[in-house]
Amino acid sequence: MEKRERLERYLEVSDLESVWFARPNAFAWLTGGSNVVDRETDAGVAAVGYDGTGICVLANTIEAERIVEEELPDLESESITLEQFSWYDASLEEAIADRAGDGRAAADIDVTGLERVDLANLRQPLTRRDRERYRELARETTVAVEAVCRELRPDDTEHEVASALRVALSGREIEAPVVLVGGSERAQRYRHYTPTDAQLDAYALISVTAERGGLHASCTRTVAFDPPTWLEKRHEAATRVETTALAATQEAAARSDDADTGTAGDVFAAIQGAYEAVGYPGEWERHHQGGAAGFAGREWIATPEHDAPVERPMAYAWNPTVQGAKSEGTVLVTENGLEPLTTTGDWPTTTASAVDRELELERPGVLVLDAE
């Protein structure tokens, strides 16, 4: 198991005897399941630990049976142990401290006597199993989003569309931590068009980050009823910047393979150059451009001089915007090339050419619907 091997190396390098994960994305990374009951807390209701020999799931007596039976899909064939504690005797943090004992240990939440661990580096690159699950999540997310988009009408409110998206995704057992719906007025004013009771009117931007099993897939779709004259030009510019970012990601990842580490900052420099080349030099300052995706909506967000290594196989979700237009999708970058994940083949596309790089990609275009 690839993840076990990474954990073994982490314990050895960090001189630890055990490591514990209670945050939902970390729990999902190791187990494939969820430990979430209350979404307002940083930690879930169970923890999973590794001590160099085996995996231990630690849960209180309320949750233990359900967690084991329903939330451990990736651990079915693993040697795991379940340890329970009475919900009225101890908190999860106290149970972790008790289980870790006197040995050197770390956790991803605050536990007395334990060091803190940041799992982000362990989650990259994606394992084979994670890539398989990613493909399924991205496909089902896109099917749901596009189905809702095809039914839109100009007098729909942003709230109504957001509700429809959440229902469509929930029906596929997909959570939606981010649902943005911007009608023609607000999509031009704001880069994060959180839904309101405003009507869509002439056109709309629909942006979603969806999650299942800890993995996150992001995509944006543009739907128009009476397209503004500038929309096509700005949308094309955004797709070219996104394609440039993907080409630069591929280049940076290849350099990392050769020990000449390509970084997020390298990709960001290409993005800045692309904005200038397509005629919108200042737009990159008005919104973040995205970055690596996986067990977080963005494992990291690229900035100038950002030194995070660009790895493969890994998912990337770049999301350039040009006032009122946006291009965003989740793409798997491997040694074999680029694999767009958030596509169905049933949406209009536009051929986008990277700036100063020999790459052309089909990116989602603008779906024009009859306003009647």
Side-chain angles (χ1 to χ4, degrees), residues 292-308:
F295 285 86
R298 299 294 188 272
E299 294 283 8
W300 47 255
I301 291 175
T303 58
E305 311 302 326
H306 192 174
D307 62 358

Side-chain angles (χ1 to χ4, degrees), residues 82-102:
L82 170 67
E83 295 193 13
Q84 303 184 49
F85 60 95
S86 298
W87 62 268
Y88 52 83
D89 269 349
S91 66
L92 181 60
E93 291 82 357
E94 291 168 335
I96 292 172
D98 182 64
R99 177 61 175 76
D102 296 329

Side-chain angles (χ1 to χ4, degrees), residues 168-214:
L169 291 165
S170 180
R172 293 167 170 81
E173 299 183 354
I174 298 171
E175 300 291 338
V178 178
V179 175
L180 303 177
V181 180
S184 57
E185 191 270 333
R186 295 181 67 254
Q188 295 179 68
R189 292 181 61 191
Y190 307 114
R191 306 299 161 122
H192 286 155
Y193 25 88
T194 53
T196 70
D197 59 1
Q199 292 185 341
L200 302 184
D201 293 330
Y203 86 104
L205 296 183
I206 311 297
S207 299
V208 166
T209 294
E211 180 271 329
R212 186 171 65 192

Side-chain angles (χ1 to χ4, degrees), residues 313-333:
M314 192 64 194
Y316 293 88
W318 300 105
N319 48 259
T321 60
V322 175
Q323 185 182 12
K326 182 177 183 179
S327 186
E328 176 185 30
T330 304
V331 177
L332 189 63
V333 179

Side-chain angles (χ1 to χ4, degrees), residues 356-371:
D356 296 330
R357 289 164 174 83
E358 294 183 1
L359 177 67
E360 287 189 346
L361 289 177
E362 292 300 310
R363 303 310 297 144
V366 177
L367 176 67
V368 180
L369 297 176
D370 191 338

